[in-house]
Amino acid sequence: MGKGASGESPTLRQVGEFAVIDRLVRGRSQPAAVLLGPGDDAAVVSTGDGRTVVSTDMLVQDRHFRLDWSTPHDVGRKAIAQNAADIEAMGARVSAFVVGFGAPPDTPVAQIDALADGMWDEAGRIGAGIAGGDLVSCPQWVVSVTVLGELDGRPPVLRSGAKPGSVLAIAGELGRSAAGYSLLDKEINGFIDLRRRHVVPQPPYGAGALAAAAGAQAMIDVSDGLVADLRHVAEASGVGIDLSTAGLAVDHDALAAAASATGADAWSWVLGGGEDHALAACFAGAVPDGWRVIGRVLDGPPRVLVDGAQWQGYAGWESFGS
């Protein structure tokens, strides 16, 4: 479908729902797990061991992304990545996604093409497909993604299994998205990688299943901030967690120059910044490749300490905060 008479991309209103959906799915290749993709009333996805891991998440324009900072392709990648990280955190493998999308009727179809391309791009990085979805009229962009995963015969890794005496380890990097947000918000040039890490996160794909195979006791996706998310583990497991700034120094040092440029505290990004989608897990023994130790698990009561003391800085994102 080409451009309209004015040379601009036609809009959703001009093209219509079903023609747009056909445009978004035509010619796409599905992985073996998707037995029946878009085109019928529902998709069919195989479940290897009879269990399906399911999670869902939403992105709302100007709350979770800004189209003056992110391209539609970036938004598509981010929507897929943050949902895939939840499946990784269960020790599972992503198999398929289902996507709901709302946008104003005057949205150019070319932007929707780019959004879909971003979704398929990110899904392809983990060998998954987009099995179906829905398209509706909405005052602003809303992207809702449901992700399906497989455990491949392993038990799920919950938040509730951490034991005193174990180590806490991380896969991925911390504070990059928060740093990128601050740089974009303050319109500070340079630091291209950090600004990109805000608009498109980089979860450590494959690290969740590797941790599960290595006997991870508990695991979580760091989406709201390290301290905030580890509180969920501490409360679910009835343990204390003590983070080590020495173990987190590599993250702090990588952000020091950006913190100086923005007048921020790099530790607030490392300990409180969300949306990096690193994985944090507790292990009784040696940690697998790609993981690094950043703390230890203590006897209760449930709490999260930093070098043995309460953290007094920013702890993480609140969905209904200011």
Side-chain angles (χ1 to χ4, degrees):
M1 186 174 296
K3 295 182 179 180
S6 66
E8 299 296 326
S9 168
T11 66
L12 291 175
R13 178 186 288 112
Q14 292 169 327
V15 175
E17 174 187 0
F18 297 109
V20 171
I21 292 174
D22 179 67
R23 179 186 180 114
L24 299 182
V25 302
R26 187 188 312 127
R28 306 287 188 179
S29 298
Q30 297 284 3
V34 179
L35 304 180
L36 180 66
D40 284 85
D41 289 324
V44 179
V45 179
S46 67
T47 54
D49 69 0
R51 298 171 299 168
T52 300
V53 186
V54 182
S55 183
T56 191
D57 208 349
M58 297 179 68
L59 284 82
V60 178
Q61 182 179 350
D62 297 328
R63 180 64 171 171
H64 303 107
F65 64 89
R66 287 174 47 168
L67 289 173
D68 56 334
W69 290 357
S70 304
T71 67
H73 190 277
D74 293 334
V75 176
R77 286 191 60 190
K78 180 175 182 175
I80 294 299
Q82 69 177 38
N83 280 267
D86 286 332
I87 299 301
E88 289 273 345
M90 299 298 291
R93 173 177 54 84
V94 177
S95 55
F97 298 88
V98 178
V99 179
F101 177 65
D106 60 357
T107 301
V109 173
Q111 293 188 354
I112 312 307
D113 287 342
L115 177 79
D117 285 344
M119 290 181 173
W120 280 97
D121 180 0
E122 195 69 19
R125 294 167 190 258
I126 46 179
I130 299 172
D134 193 20
L135 179 66
V136 298
S137 176
C138 188
Q140 67 199 77
W141 282 29
V142 177
V143 187
S144 178
V145 178
T146 297
V147 58
L148 310 176
E150 295 194 40
L151 290 162
D152 295 327
R154 294 184 300 269
V157 183
L158 310 182
R159 300 176 179 181
S160 55
K163 305 295 183 185
S166 298
V167 297
L168 174 75
I170 197 89
E173 297 173 325
L174 298 167
R176 273 63 168 181
S177 179
Y181 174 86
S182 183
L183 291 161
L184 288 162
D185 186 54
K186 295 179 183 298
E187 299 182 348
I188 295 175
N189 293 324
F191 304 100
I192 295 173
D193 181 63
L194 291 178
R195 288 188 284 119
R196 283 292 300 163
R197 290 289 291 273
H198 176 68
V199 298
V200 180
Q202 295 180 12
Y205 293 134
L210 190 64
Q217 299 170 333
M219 187 156 48
I220 194 167
D221 164 33
V222 183
S223 58
D224 295 330
L226 183 63
V227 171
D229 287 317
L230 288 178
R231 282 177 181 156
H232 298 312
V233 174
E235 290 167 0
S237 298
V239 298
I241 294 174
D242 189 13
L243 293 167
S244 165
T245 54
L248 295 165
V250 63
D251 296 295
H252 176 274
D253 293 349
L255 303 175
S260 177
T262 59
D265 174 12
W267 283 118
S268 71
W269 293 340
V270 173
L271 296 168
E275 294 196 327
D276 285 297
H277 299 290
L279 300 177
C282 302
F283 298 90
V287 304
D289 290 342
W291 289 78
R292 56 190 165 97
V293 174
I294 62 167
R296 58 197 179 102
V297 182
L298 312 173
D299 287 322
R303 65 206 185 280
V304 178
L305 307 174
V306 179
D307 291 336
Q310 292 287 340
W311 169 245
Q312 300 299 323
Y314 177 68
W317 167 267
E318 290 284 348
S319 292
F320 295 96
S322 58

Coordinates of all heavy atoms in Angstrom, one line a residue, residues 123-218:
A123 N 11.0 -9.8 18.8 CA 10.6 -11.1 19.0 C 11.5 -12.1 18.3 O 11.8 -13.2 18.8 CB 9.2 -11.3 18.5
G124 N 12.0 -11.7 17.1 CA 13.0 -12.6 16.4 C 14.3 -12.8 17.1 O 14.9 -13.8 16.9
R125 N 14.7 -11.9 18.0 CA 15.9 -12.0 18.7 C 15.9 -13.1 19.7 O 16.9 -13.6 20.2 CB 16.2 -10.7 19.5 CG 16.5 -9.5 18.5 CD 16.5 -8.2 19.2 NE 16.6 -7.1 18.3 CZ 17.7 -6.4 18.0 NH1 18.8 -6.7 18.6 NH2 17.7 -5.4 17.1
I126 N 14.7 -13.5 20.1 CA 14.5 -14.6 21.1 C 13.8 -15.8 20.5 O 13.4 -16.7 21.2 CB 13.8 -14.2 22.3 CG1 12.5 -13.3 22.0 CG2 14.7 -13.4 23.2 CD1 11.8 -12.9 23.2
G127 N 13.6 -15.8 19.2 CA 13.0 -17.0 18.5 C 11.6 -17.1 18.7 O 11.0 -18.3 18.6
A128 N 10.9 -16.0 19.0 CA 9.4 -16.1 19.2 C 8.7 -15.4 18.1 O 9.3 -14.8 17.2 CB 9.1 -15.4 20.6
G129 N 7.3 -15.5 18.1 CA 6.5 -14.9 17.1 C 5.4 -14.2 17.7 O 5.1 -14.2 18.9
I130 N 4.7 -13.4 16.9 CA 3.5 -12.7 17.3 C 2.3 -13.4 16.8 O 2.1 -13.4 15.5 CB 3.5 -11.2 16.9 CG1 4.7 -10.5 17.5 CG2 2.2 -10.5 17.3 CD1 5.0 -9.1 17.0
A131 N 1.5 -14.1 17.6 CA 0.5 -15.0 17.2 C -0.8 -14.4 16.9 O -1.7 -15.0 16.2 CB 0.3 -16.1 18.3
G132 N -1.1 -13.1 17.4 CA -2.3 -12.5 17.1 C -2.4 -11.2 17.9 O -1.5 -10.7 18.5
G133 N -3.7 -10.6 17.8 CA -3.9 -9.4 18.6 C -5.1 -8.7 18.2 O -6.0 -9.3 17.6
D134 N -5.2 -7.3 18.5 CA -6.4 -6.5 18.2 C -5.9 -5.1 17.9 O -4.9 -4.7 18.4 CB -7.3 -6.6 19.4 CG -8.7 -6.1 19.1 OD1 -9.1 -6.0 17.9 OD2 -9.4 -5.7 20.0
L135 N -6.8 -4.4 17.2 CA -6.5 -3.0 16.8 C -7.8 -2.2 17.1 O -8.8 -2.5 16.6 CB -6.1 -2.9 15.4 CG -5.8 -1.5 14.8 CD1 -4.5 -0.9 15.4 CD2 -5.6 -1.6 13.3
V136 N -7.7 -1.1 17.9 CA -8.8 -0.3 18.2 C -8.5 1.2 18.1 O -7.3 1.6 18.1 CB -9.3 -0.6 19.6 CG1 -9.8 -2.1 19.8 CG2 -8.3 -0.3 20.7
S137 N -9.6 2.0 18.0 CA -9.4 3.4 18.1 C -9.2 3.9 19.5 O -9.9 3.4 20.4 CB -10.6 4.1 17.4 OG -10.6 5.5 17.5
C138 N -8.3 4.8 19.7 CA -8.0 5.3 21.1 C -7.5 6.7 21.0 O -6.9 7.1 20.0 CB -6.9 4.3 21.7 SG -6.6 4.6 23.4
P139 N -7.7 7.5 22.0 CA -7.2 8.9 22.0 C -5.7 9.1 21.9 O -5.2 10.1 21.5 CB -7.8 9.5 23.3 CG -8.9 8.7 23.7 CD -8.5 7.3 23.2
Q140 N -5.0 8.1 22.4 CA -3.5 8.1 22.3 C -3.0 6.7 22.1 O -3.8 5.7 22.2 CB -3.0 8.7 23.6 CG -3.2 7.8 24.9 CD -3.1 8.6 26.1 OE1 -4.0 9.3 26.5 NE2 -1.9 8.4 26.8
W141 N -1.8 6.5 21.9 CA -1.2 5.2 21.7 C -1.2 4.4 23.0 O -0.8 4.9 24.0 CB 0.2 5.3 21.2 CG 0.4 5.6 19.7 CD1 -0.5 6.3 18.9 CD2 1.4 5.2 18.9 NE1 0.0 6.4 17.7 CE2 1.1 5.7 17.6 CE3 2.6 4.4 19.0 CZ2 2.0 5.5 16.5 CZ3 3.4 4.2 18.0 CH2 3.1 4.7 16.7
V142 N -1.8 3.2 22.9 CA -1.7 2.2 24.0 C -1.3 0.9 23.4 O -1.9 0.4 22.5 CB -3.0 2.1 24.7 CG1 -3.0 1.0 25.8 CG2 -3.5 3.4 25.3
V143 N -0.2 0.3 24.0 CA 0.2 -1.0 23.5 C 0.1 -2.0 24.7 O 0.7 -1.8 25.7 CB 1.7 -1.0 23.1 CG1 2.1 -2.3 22.4 CG2 1.9 0.2 22.1
S144 N -0.7 -3.0 24.5 CA -0.9 -4.1 25.5 C -0.4 -5.4 24.9 O -0.8 -5.8 23.9 CB -2.3 -4.2 25.9 OG -2.5 -5.2 26.8
V145 N 0.6 -6.0 25.6 CA 1.2 -7.2 25.1 C 1.0 -8.4 26.2 O 1.3 -8.2 27.4 CB 2.7 -7.0 24.9 CG1 3.4 -8.3 24.4 CG2 3.0 -5.9 23.9
T146 N 0.6 -9.5 25.7 CA 0.6 -10.7 26.5 C 1.6 -11.7 25.9 O 1.7 -11.8 24.7 CB -0.8 -11.4 26.5 OG1 -1.8 -10.5 27.0 CG2 -0.8 -12.7 27.2
V147 N 2.4 -12.2 26.8 CA 3.5 -13.1 26.4 C 3.3 -14.5 26.9 O 2.8 -14.7 28.1 CB 4.9 -12.5 26.8 CG1 4.9 -12.3 28.3 CG2 6.0 -13.4 26.3
L148 N 3.6 -15.5 26.1 CA 3.5 -16.9 26.5 C 4.9 -17.5 26.5 O 5.7 -17.2 25.7 CB 2.6 -17.7 25.5 CG 1.2 -17.1 25.2 CD1 0.5 -17.9 24.2 CD2 0.4 -16.9 26.5
G149 N 5.1 -18.4 27.5 CA 6.4 -19.0 27.6 C 6.3 -20.5 28.0 O 5.3 -20.9 28.5
E150 N 7.4 -21.2 27.8 CA 7.5 -22.6 28.2 C 8.6 -22.9 29.2 O 9.7 -22.2 29.2 CB 7.8 -23.5 27.0 CG 6.7 -23.4 25.9 CD 6.8 -24.5 24.9 OE1 7.2 -25.7 25.3 OE2 6.6 -24.2 23.7
L151 N 8.4 -23.8 30.1 CA 9.3 -24.1 31.2 C 10.2 -25.3 30.8 O 11.2 -25.5 31.5 CB 8.6 -24.5 32.5 CG 7.9 -23.3 33.2 CD1 6.8 -23.8 34.1 CD2 8.9 -22.4 33.8
D152 N 10.0 -26.0 29.7 CA 10.8 -27.0 29.2 C 11.1 -28.1 30.3 O 12.3 -28.6 30.4 CB 12.1 -26.5 28.7 CG 11.9 -25.6 27.4 OD1 11.0 -25.9 26.7 OD2 12.7 -24.6 27.3
G153 N 10.1 -28.4 31.1 CA 10.2 -29.5 32.1 C 10.7 -29.0 33.4 O 10.7 -29.8 34.4
R154 N 11.2 -27.8 33.5 CA 11.7 -27.3 34.8 C 10.5 -26.7 35.7 O 9.6 -26.2 35.1 CB 12.8 -26.2 34.6 CG 14.0 -26.8 34.0 CD 15.1 -25.6 33.9 NE 14.6 -24.5 33.1 CZ 14.8 -24.4 31.8 NH1 15.5 -25.3 31.1 NH2 14.3 -23.4 31.1
P155 N 10.7 -26.6 37.0 CA 9.7 -25.9 37.8 C 9.9 -24.4 37.6 O 11.1 -24.0 37.3 CB 10.0 -26.3 39.2 CG 11.5 -26.7 39.2 CD 11.7 -27.3 37.8
P156 N 8.9 -23.6 37.8 CA 9.1 -22.1 37.7 C 10.0 -21.6 38.8 O 9.9 -22.2 39.9 CB 7.7 -21.6 37.7 CG 6.9 -22.6 38.5 CD 7.5 -23.9 38.1
V157 N 10.7 -20.6 38.6 CA 11.5 -19.9 39.6 C 10.7 -18.8 40.2 O 10.4 -17.8 39.5 CB 12.9 -19.4 39.1 CG1 13.7 -18.8 40.3 CG2 13.7 -20.5 38.4
L158 N 10.3 -18.9 41.5 CA 9.4 -17.9 42.1 C 10.2 -16.9 42.8 O 11.4 -16.9 42.9 CB 8.4 -18.7 43.0 CG 7.7 -19.9 42.5 CD1 6.8 -20.5 43.5 CD2 6.9 -19.5 41.2
R159 N 9.5 -15.9 43.4 CA 10.1 -14.9 44.2 C 10.3 -15.4 45.7 O 11.0 -14.8 46.4 CB 9.3 -13.6 44.3 CG 9.1 -13.0 42.9 CD 8.2 -11.8 43.0 NE 8.0 -11.1 41.7 CZ 7.2 -10.0 41.5 NH1 6.6 -9.5 42.6 NH2 7.1 -9.5 40.3
S160 N 9.7 -16.5 46.0 CA 9.6 -16.9 47.4 C 10.6 -18.0 47.9 O 10.4 -18.5 49.0 CB 8.1 -17.5 47.6 OG 7.9 -18.5 46.7
G161 N 11.6 -18.3 47.1 CA 12.4 -19.4 47.4 C 13.8 -19.0 48.0 O 14.6 -19.9 48.3
A162 N 14.1 -17.7 48.2 CA 15.4 -17.3 48.6 C 15.7 -17.8 50.1 O 14.8 -17.8 50.9 CB 15.5 -15.8 48.6
K163 N 16.9 -18.3 50.3 CA 17.3 -18.8 51.6 C 18.5 -18.1 52.2 O 19.4 -17.7 51.5 CB 17.7 -20.3 51.5 CG 16.6 -21.2 50.8 CD 15.4 -21.3 51.7 CE 14.3 -22.2 51.0 NZ 13.0 -22.2 51.8
P164 N 18.5 -17.8 53.5 CA 19.6 -17.2 54.2 C 20.9 -17.9 53.9 O 20.9 -19.1 53.8 CB 19.3 -17.2 55.7 CG 17.8 -17.3 55.7 CD 17.4 -18.1 54.5
G165 N 22.0 -17.2 53.6 CA 23.2 -17.8 53.3 C 23.5 -17.8 51.8 O 24.7 -18.1 51.4
S166 N 22.5 -17.6 51.0 CA 22.7 -17.6 49.6 C 23.3 -16.3 49.1 O 23.3 -15.3 49.8 CB 21.4 -17.9 48.9 OG 20.9 -19.2 49.2
V167 N 23.7 -16.3 47.8 CA 24.2 -15.1 47.2 C 23.1 -14.5 46.3 O 22.3 -15.3 45.8 CB 25.5 -15.3 46.5 CG1 26.6 -15.8 47.4 CG2 25.3 -16.3 45.3
L168 N 23.2 -13.2 46.1 CA 22.3 -12.5 45.2 C 23.2 -12.1 44.0 O 24.2 -11.5 44.2 CB 21.7 -11.3 45.8 CG 20.9 -10.4 44.9 CD1 19.5 -11.1 44.6 CD2 20.7 -9.0 45.5
A169 N 22.7 -12.4 42.8 CA 23.4 -12.1 41.6 C 22.5 -11.4 40.6 O 21.3 -11.5 40.7 CB 24.1 -13.4 41.0
I170 N 23.2 -10.8 39.6 CA 22.5 -10.0 38.6 C 23.0 -10.4 37.2 O 24.1 -10.7 37.1 CB 22.7 -8.5 38.8 CG1 21.6 -7.7 38.0 CG2 24.0 -8.0 38.4 CD1 20.4 -7.4 38.8
A171 N 22.1 -10.5 36.3 CA 22.4 -10.7 34.9 C 21.9 -9.4 34.1 O 20.7 -9.1 34.3 CB 21.8 -11.9 34.3
G172 N 22.7 -8.8 33.4 CA 22.3 -7.5 32.7 C 22.9 -6.3 33.4 O 23.8 -6.5 34.3
E173 N 22.5 -5.2 33.1 CA 23.1 -3.9 33.6 C 22.0 -3.1 34.2 O 20.8 -3.2 33.9 CB 23.7 -3.1 32.4 CG 24.9 -3.9 31.8 CD 25.5 -3.3 30.6 OE1 24.7 -2.6 29.8 OE2 26.7 -3.3 30.4
L174 N 22.4 -2.2 35.2 CA 21.5 -1.4 36.0 C 21.7 0.1 35.8 O 22.9 0.5 35.5 CB 21.7 -1.8 37.5 CG 21.3 -3.2 37.9 CD1 21.9 -3.5 39.3 CD2 19.8 -3.5 37.8
G175 N 20.7 0.8 35.9 CA 20.8 2.3 35.9 C 20.8 2.9 34.5 O 20.7 4.2 34.4
R176 N 21.0 2.2 33.5 CA 21.1 2.8 32.1 C 19.9 3.5 31.7 O 19.9 4.6 31.1 CB 21.5 1.7 31.1 CG 23.0 1.4 31.0 CD 23.6 0.9 32.2 NE 25.0 0.4 32.0 CZ 25.7 -0.1 32.9 NH1 25.3 -0.3 34.2 NH2 27.0 -0.6 32.6
S177 N 18.7 2.9 31.8 CA 17.5 3.5 31.4 C 17.2 4.8 32.2 O 16.8 5.8 31.6 CB 16.3 2.5 31.5 OG 15.1 3.1 31.1
A178 N 17.4 4.8 33.5 CA 17.2 6.0 34.3 C 18.1 7.1 33.9 O 17.7 8.3 33.8 CB 17.3 5.6 35.7
A179 N 19.4 6.7 33.6 CA 20.3 7.7 33.1 C 19.9 8.3 31.8 O 19.9 9.5 31.5 CB 21.7 7.1 33.0
G180 N 19.5 7.4 30.9 CA 19.0 7.9 29.6 C 17.8 8.8 29.7 O 17.7 9.8 28.9
Y181 N 16.9 8.5 30.6 CA 15.7 9.3 30.8 C 16.1 10.7 31.2 O 15.6 11.7 30.7 CB 14.8 8.7 31.8 CG 13.6 9.6 32.2 CD1 12.4 9.6 31.4 CD2 13.7 10.5 33.2 CE1 11.4 10.5 31.7 CE2 12.7 11.4 33.5 CZ 11.5 11.4 32.8 OH 10.5 12.2 33.1
S182 N 17.0 10.8 32.2 CA 17.5 12.1 32.7 C 18.2 12.9 31.6 O 17.9 14.1 31.4 CB 18.4 11.9 33.9 OG 18.8 13.1 34.4
L183 N 19.0 12.2 30.8 CA 19.7 12.9 29.7 C 18.7 13.4 28.6 O 18.8 14.6 28.1 CB 20.6 12.0 29.0 CG 21.9 11.6 29.8 CD1 22.5 10.3 29.3 CD2 22.9 12.7 29.9
L184 N 17.7 12.6 28.3 CA 16.6 13.1 27.4 C 15.8 14.2 27.9 O 15.5 15.2 27.3 CB 15.7 11.9 27.0 CG 16.4 10.8 26.1 CD1 15.6 9.6 26.1 CD2 16.4 11.4 24.6
D185 N 15.4 14.1 29.2 CA 14.6 15.1 29.8 C 15.3 16.4 29.9 O 14.7 17.5 29.8 CB 14.2 14.6 31.2 CG 13.2 15.5 31.9 OD1 12.2 15.8 31.3 OD2 13.5 15.9 33.1
K186 N 16.6 16.4 30.2 CA 17.4 17.6 30.3 C 18.0 18.1 29.0 O 18.7 19.1 28.9 CB 18.5 17.4 31.3 CG 18.0 17.2 32.8 CD 19.1 17.0 33.7 CE 18.6 16.7 35.1 NZ 17.8 17.8 35.7
E187 N 17.6 17.3 27.9 CA 18.1 17.7 26.5 C 19.6 17.8 26.5 O 20.2 18.8 25.9 CB 17.4 19.0 26.0 CG 15.9 18.8 26.0 CD 15.2 20.0 25.4 OE1 15.9 21.1 25.3 OE2 14.0 20.0 25.1
I188 N 20.3 16.8 27.1 CA 21.7 16.8 27.1 C 22.2 15.9 26.0 O 21.8 14.7 25.9 CB 22.3 16.3 28.4 CG1 21.9 17.4 29.5 CG2 23.8 16.1 28.4 CD1 22.3 16.9 30.9
N189 N 23.0 16.4 25.0 CA 23.5 15.6 23.9 C 24.6 14.7 24.3 O 25.2 14.8 25.4 CB 23.9 16.5 22.8 CG 22.7 17.3 22.2 OD1 21.6 16.7 22.0 ND2 23.0 18.5 21.8
G190 N 25.1 13.9 23.4 CA 26.1 12.9 23.8 C 25.4 11.7 24.5 O 24.2 11.6 24.5
F191 N 26.3 10.8 25.0 CA 25.8 9.7 25.8 C 24.8 8.9 25.0 O 23.7 8.5 25.5 CB 25.2 10.1 27.1 CG 26.1 10.9 28.0 CD1 26.0 12.3 28.1 CD2 27.1 10.3 28.7 CE1 26.9 13.0 28.9 CE2 28.0 11.0 29.5 CZ 27.9 12.4 29.6
I192 N 25.1 8.7 23.7 CA 24.1 8.1 22.8 C 23.6 6.7 23.3 O 22.4 6.4 23.3 CB 24.7 7.9 21.4 CG1 25.0 9.3 20.8 CG2 23.8 7.2 20.4 CD1 25.7 9.3 19.5
D193 N 24.5 5.9 23.8 CA 24.2 4.6 24.2 C 23.2 4.6 25.4 O 22.2 3.9 25.4 CB 25.4 3.8 24.6 CG 25.0 2.3 25.1 OD1 24.5 1.6 24.2 OD2 25.3 2.0 26.2
L194 N 23.4 5.5 26.3 CA 22.5 5.6 27.5 C 21.1 6.1 27.1 O 20.1 5.6 27.6 CB 23.1 6.5 28.5 CG 24.4 6.0 29.3 CD1 24.9 7.0 30.3 CD2 24.0 4.7 30.0
R195 N 21.1 7.1 26.2 CA 19.8 7.6 25.7 C 19.1 6.5 25.0 O 17.8 6.3 25.1 CB 20.0 8.8 24.9 CG 20.4 10.0 25.7 CD 20.3 11.3 25.0 NE 21.5 11.5 24.1 CZ 21.5 11.6 22.8 NH1 20.3 11.6 22.1 NH2 22.6 11.7 22.1
R196 N 19.8 5.7 24.2 CA 19.1 4.5 23.5 C 18.6 3.5 24.5 O 17.6 2.9 24.3 CB 20.1 3.9 22.5 CG 20.4 4.7 21.3 CD 19.2 4.7 20.4 NE 18.7 3.3 20.0 CZ 17.5 3.0 19.5 NH1 16.6 4.0 19.4 NH2 17.2 1.8 19.1
R197 N 19.4 3.3 25.6 CA 19.0 2.3 26.5 C 17.7 2.6 27.3 O 17.0 1.8 27.8 CB 20.1 2.0 27.5 CG 21.3 1.3 26.9 CD 21.0 -0.1 26.6 NE 20.9 -0.9 27.8 CZ 21.9 -1.4 28.4 NH1 23.1 -1.3 28.0 NH2 21.7 -2.1 29.5
H198 N 17.3 3.9 27.3 CA 16.0 4.3 27.8 C 14.9 3.9 26.9 O 13.8 3.4 27.3 CB 15.9 5.8 28.1 CG 14.5 6.2 28.6 ND1 14.0 5.7 29.8 CD2 13.6 6.9 28.0 CE1 12.8 6.2 30.0 NE2 12.5 6.9 28.9
V199 N 15.1 4.2 25.6 CA 14.0 3.9 24.6 C 13.9 2.5 24.2 O 12.8 2.0 23.9 CB 14.1 4.8 23.4 CG1 14.0 6.3 23.8 CG2 15.3 4.6 22.6
V200 N 15.0 1.7 24.3 CA 15.0 0.3 24.0 C 15.8 -0.5 25.0 O 17.0 -0.4 24.9 CB 15.5 0.0 22.5 CG1 15.4 -1.5 22.3 CG2 14.7 0.7 21.5
P201 N 15.2 -1.1 25.9 CA 15.9 -1.9 26.9 C 16.6 -3.1 26.3 O 16.2 -3.6 25.2 CB 14.9 -2.3 28.0 CG 13.6 -2.3 27.2 CD 13.7 -1.3 26.2
Q202 N 17.6 -3.7 27.0 CA 18.3 -4.9 26.6 C 18.3 -5.9 27.6 O 19.3 -6.1 28.4 CB 19.8 -4.5 26.2 CG 19.9 -3.5 25.0 CD 21.3 -3.2 24.7 OE1 22.2 -3.8 25.2 NE2 21.5 -2.2 23.9
P203 N 17.2 -6.7 27.8 CA 17.2 -7.8 28.7 C 18.3 -8.8 28.4 O 18.6 -9.0 27.2 CB 15.8 -8.4 28.6 CG 15.0 -7.3 27.9 CD 15.9 -6.6 27.1
P204 N 18.8 -9.5 29.4 CA 19.8 -10.6 29.1 C 19.1 -11.9 28.7 O 19.0 -12.8 29.5 CB 20.5 -10.7 30.5 CG 19.4 -10.4 31.5 CD 18.5 -9.3 30.8
Y205 N 18.7 -11.9 27.4 CA 17.9 -13.1 26.9 C 18.7 -14.4 27.1 O 19.9 -14.4 26.8 CB 17.6 -12.9 25.5 CG 16.6 -11.7 25.2 CD1 16.8 -10.8 24.2 CD2 15.4 -11.6 25.9 CE1 15.9 -9.8 23.9 CE2 14.5 -10.6 25.7 CZ 14.8 -9.7 24.7 OH 13.9 -8.7 24.4
G206 N 18.0 -15.4 27.6 CA 18.6 -16.7 27.9 C 19.1 -16.8 29.3 O 19.3 -18.0 29.7
A207 N 19.3 -15.7 30.0 CA 19.9 -15.8 31.3 C 18.9 -16.4 32.3 O 19.4 -17.0 33.3 CB 20.4 -14.4 31.8
G208 N 17.6 -16.2 32.1 CA 16.7 -16.8 33.1 C 16.7 -18.3 33.1 O 16.7 -18.9 34.1
A209 N 16.6 -18.9 31.9 CA 16.6 -20.3 31.8 C 18.0 -20.9 32.3 O 18.0 -22.0 32.9 CB 16.4 -20.8 30.3
L210 N 19.0 -20.2 32.0 CA 20.4 -20.6 32.5 C 20.4 -20.6 34.0 O 20.9 -21.5 34.7 CB 21.4 -19.7 31.9 CG 22.9 -20.1 32.2 CD1 23.2 -21.4 31.4 CD2 23.8 -19.0 31.7
A211 N 19.8 -19.6 34.6 CA 19.8 -19.5 36.1 C 18.9 -20.6 36.7 O 19.3 -21.2 37.7 CB 19.2 -18.1 36.5
A212 N 17.8 -20.9 36.0 CA 16.9 -22.0 36.5 C 17.6 -23.3 36.4 O 17.6 -24.1 37.4 CB 15.6 -22.0 35.7
A213 N 18.4 -23.6 35.4 CA 19.1 -24.8 35.2 C 20.2 -24.9 36.3 O 20.6 -26.0 36.7 CB 19.7 -24.9 33.8
A214 N 20.7 -23.8 36.7 CA 21.8 -23.7 37.7 C 21.3 -23.8 39.2 O 22.0 -23.7 40.1 CB 22.6 -22.5 37.5
G215 N 19.9 -23.9 39.3 CA 19.3 -24.0 40.6 C 19.0 -22.7 41.3 O 18.9 -22.7 42.6
A216 N 18.7 -21.7 40.6 CA 18.2 -20.4 41.2 C 17.1 -20.7 42.1 O 16.1 -21.4 41.8 CB 17.9 -19.4 40.1
Q217 N 17.2 -20.1 43.3 CA 16.1 -20.3 44.3 C 15.0 -19.3 44.1 O 13.8 -19.6 44.4 CB 16.7 -20.0 45.7 CG 17.8 -21.0 46.1 CD 18.5 -20.5 47.4 OE1 18.5 -19.3 47.7 NE2 19.1 -21.4 48.1
A218 N 15.3 -18.1 43.7 CA 14.3 -17.0 43.5 C 14.8 -16.1 42.4 O 16.0 -15.9 42.3 CB 14.0 -16.2 44.8

